[in-house]
Amino acid sequence: MTSVLRFAMTNGWTYRRADHDDIVELASWRGAGSLGLRPHFHDESQLVLVLSGSRSFRIDSETITVPAGHAALIPAGMMHAPMPTPDEETVCLNAYVSASRACSSLRVVSFGARWQRVGEISPEHILEIADDILSRAPSASIGRSGRSKLGAALTESLAPIGAVAAGFGRSREGFSRMVSRELGVAPHAFRLLARLNLARQLLRAGEPIAAVAVDAGFSDQSHLTRLFRRTFGTTPGVYWRD
C-alpha cells in the first residue's frame, strides 16, 4: 500500500521523518512567497518539488528558478542560497535523499499538474522523480572529487586553516581563495556549515538541543539557534519537535 505524507501547512518550514529507508527527512512550506536563506549545503541530495508559486536559488553566481509543476535535484554538497520569491502563495516539498542519488549539477524537470497538495505525494513518488532526473543527467564530473577532498580536509581535521592550507602546498590566503572558488564560501564559513549539518543530524537522532550545541562546536544554544534559523529557515527547537 502506498503511503502519503501528512504535514501541518503553515507559513514556515515544517520538517518530518519520511518513514522510508531511502529518504532521510522531508520539509514542507506553504506561505506567501518563500524565505531567503544563507548559502548552505546538505550532506544529502535535496529534491525540491514546487506545487504552486516558485522557488529560486543562487548557485555559482546564477539564479535558478523552479516554477510550479517542476522538480529540482540539488546534489549533496552543492552550495546554494534560497532566494526570497514574490508574495504569491508557494507550496513546496523538500525531500532529502541519499547522497548516492546525485548528478554533476542541479537539474530541473517538469512533473506537470500531477499533484495539487503535498499530502498527495508518497515517498515512492519522490524516489521515482529523483531517479527520473538521474536517468537524464550525465554522471558526476571529475571536478567533484577535488571539491570533496577540500571539504573533507576542512571538516575532518580541527587543525587551524593555515595548517590545512600547508597540506595543500598553499599559503593561507591562497588556500582561502581556492576554497572560496571551489566550494563557494571561505574556509571558516564552510566549517561552520558542516557543523550546522552535524547539528541537524544529531537533532534527528533525538539528542537534546543544549547537548547538540556543545557536540557540534557552538558556543551555546542561542548561538546554534541563531545560525540554524538563518540557514535552514526554522529553529532547532521546532525542528527537533517535528
Side-chain angles (χ1 to χ4, degrees), residues 56-65 81 83:
S56 291
F57 302 90
R58 193 71 175 169
I59 298 176
D60 291 337
S61 300
E62 293 185 37
T63 298
I64 308 296
T65 297
M83 301 176 66

Side-chain angles (χ1 to χ4, degrees), residues 198-222:
L198 173 60
R200 194 161 163 163
Q201 178 183 336
L202 295 173
L203 288 166
R204 283 199 301 265
E207 189 169 327
I209 300 170
V212 169
V214 173
D215 291 346
F218 293 91
S219 57
D220 54 34
Q221 184 172 327
S222 63

Side-chain angles (χ1 to χ4, degrees), residues 179-190:
V179 170
S180 295
R181 182 178 65 250
E182 296 296 329
L183 300 182
V185 292
H188 175 73
F190 186 88

Side-chain angles (χ1 to χ4, degrees), residues 58 71 168 193 231 239:
R58 193 71 175 169
F168 281 82
L193 291 171
T231 305
Y239 180 89

Side-chain angles (χ1 to χ4, degrees), residues 76-144:
M78 174 173 282
M79 197 69 63
H80 59 285
M83 301 176 66
T85 55
D87 290 338
E88 62 178 328
E89 182 181 62
T90 297
V91 178
C92 176
L93 176 68
N94 286 348
Y96 301 89
V97 301
S98 168
S100 63
R101 284 182 161 89
C103 46
S104 58
S105 60
L106 179 144
R107 298 280 161 173
V108 179
V109 301
S110 171
F111 59 76
R114 182 174 176 183
W115 302 291
Q116 299 299 315
R117 296 183 297 274
V118 168
E120 298 174 350
I121 306 173
S122 71
E124 291 74 21
H125 293 143
I126 290 168
L127 296 174
E128 286 174 8
I129 293 173
D131 289 340
D132 178 47
I133 294 174
L134 290 173
S135 71
R136 307 183 191 195
S139 59
S141 65
I142 295 175
R144 285 181 60 85

